[in-house]
Amino acid sequence: MKKKQKNYNLILGSAIALFMLVFLLVGCFYTPYDPDAMNGVAKFAPPQGTHLFGCDHFGRDIFSRVMKGTGTTFLVAIATVALGGGIGIFIGAFTGYFGGWADEVLMRFNDAVFSFPHILLALVFISILGPGKYNVILALSVVFIPSFARITRGEFLAQREMDYVKSARLMGVSHLRIMFVHIFPNTLPAVLSMAAIGFNNAVLAEAGMSYLGIGVQPPDASLGRMLSEAQTYLMSAPWCVLFPGLAIILLALGFSLLSDGLLKKGGR
């Protein structure tokens, strides 16, 4: 009997994602210092017992700010995936199941939107809506819809002619029940993998836009904005850049490995 190979990407990705989730959840209820409190005496204090990650150019505790900033980035990413993914999944399920002219019209429009670079299209929406956390969520959600729609449509196209779907139709089961009770569970590996990829992309997009100053705005802590503020002090106080950058890397890496692991699990 062939021994099952361990899915190390899924294990490692889950561990990193869980660690970051616990880290940000703790930050929602407790931080060692007020993330926005300035202390002139502690300016550029290096990592030490009282300030684990050191302090920035305003004397703010970096550990507390990274905790809050990770929570902000996670909120933006998860809301983006929930909103954009939810709409995209519904469109993909509808077009993939029913087909016909609606499929042609919606998917041609979907392909037109998908042809634009995601970050460029998000920047266009931000220029119209203005900077801010909720506008970033709206902008990224719109550009993520086509990806979820394409993946879900492909899964539904593959499933709609299966015997179990034909049997459900003969039994008089409603279309909505067939779509979301019978077919949708069989698409979960691909959809969850796409959600993990979307989360990863949303983390990087939010950090990039906040770095440019058009994303999350003060007083909300943001990992991207922390990097932007600290770049001037890269040589004199590298810890100001190191820890926010490490938080972004861990968030993106964890969900990237998780996505790959889910794909491999679904392919077995």
Side-chain angles (χ1 to χ4, degrees):
M1 184 176 178
K2 187 177 180 180
K3 187 178 179 181
K4 286 187 177 180
Q5 190 174 16
K6 286 188 177 180
N7 193 335
Y8 290 106
N9 284 351
L10 183 62
I11 296 171
L12 182 57
S14 299
I16 296 174
L18 181 61
F19 171 78
M20 294 304 295
L21 183 60
V22 171
F23 181 74
L24 71 91
L25 284 176
V26 171
C28 292
F29 302 100
Y30 168 78
T31 54
Y33 299 90
D34 182 346
D36 300 316
M38 301 181 187
N39 183 356
V41 178
K43 282 184 178 180
F44 296 119
Q48 54 187 303
T50 53
H51 297 283
L52 292 179
F53 290 178
C55 295
D56 63 10
H57 56 296
F58 288 127
R60 297 173 297 189
D61 182 63
I62 294 177
F63 183 76
S64 300
R65 290 185 62 76
V66 168
M67 292 180 83
K68 285 296 184 183
T70 301
T72 300
T73 298
F74 185 88
L75 173 64
V76 170
I78 203 70
T80 295
V81 171
L83 182 58
I87 297 173
I89 287 170
F90 183 81
I91 292 173
F94 179 84
T95 56
Y97 181 79
F98 290 105
W101 66 267
D103 178 32
E104 288 296 324
V105 172
L106 288 174
M107 293 315 296
R108 294 299 74 76
F109 179 76
N110 187 84
D111 291 342
V113 176
F114 190 78
S115 64
F116 288 93
H118 286 182
I119 190 64
L120 180 60
L121 192 57
L123 290 175
V124 171
F125 279 104
I126 285 295
S127 67
I128 296 172
L129 299 172
K133 179 168 59 179
Y134 298 108
N135 288 343
V136 169
I137 292 172
L138 286 175
L140 292 177
S141 296
V142 170
V143 301
F144 280 12
I145 289 173
S147 301
F148 282 92
R150 285 166 64 98
I151 293 295
T152 307
R153 176 179 178 270
E155 292 294 314
F156 270 71
L157 283 173
Q159 295 288 330
R160 70 180 185 181
E161 299 302 327
M162 300 289 284
D163 289 340
Y164 76 93
V165 176
K166 293 179 180 178
S167 298
R169 287 172 182 160
L170 289 174
M171 293 172 63
V173 178
S174 67
H175 291 306
L176 283 178
R177 184 174 178 81
I178 292 175
M179 289 167 63
F180 295 106
V181 176
H182 294 267
I183 297 179
F184 184 68
N186 294 312
T187 70
L188 278 179
V191 170
L192 289 176
S193 176
M194 185 64 216
I197 293 173
F199 183 93
N200 179 32
N201 291 338
V203 166
L204 297 176
E206 184 279 323
M209 287 191 285
S210 295
Y211 178 86
L212 295 173
I214 58 175
V216 176
Q217 300 296 300
D220 290 327
S222 166
L223 297 175
R225 180 167 285 276
M226 290 176 68
L227 290 177
S228 178
E229 293 174 348
Q231 63 179 343
T232 307
Y233 314 105
L234 179 60
M235 302 305 296
S236 58
W239 55 87
C240 295
V241 175
L242 173 63
F243 295 109
L246 184 60
I248 294 173
I249 290 171
L250 287 177
L251 273 177
L253 177 63
F255 282 88
S256 178
L257 291 173
L258 189 60
S259 169
D260 188 65
L262 287 170
L263 276 177
K264 288 182 178 178
K265 183 179 180 180
R268 287 204 298 265

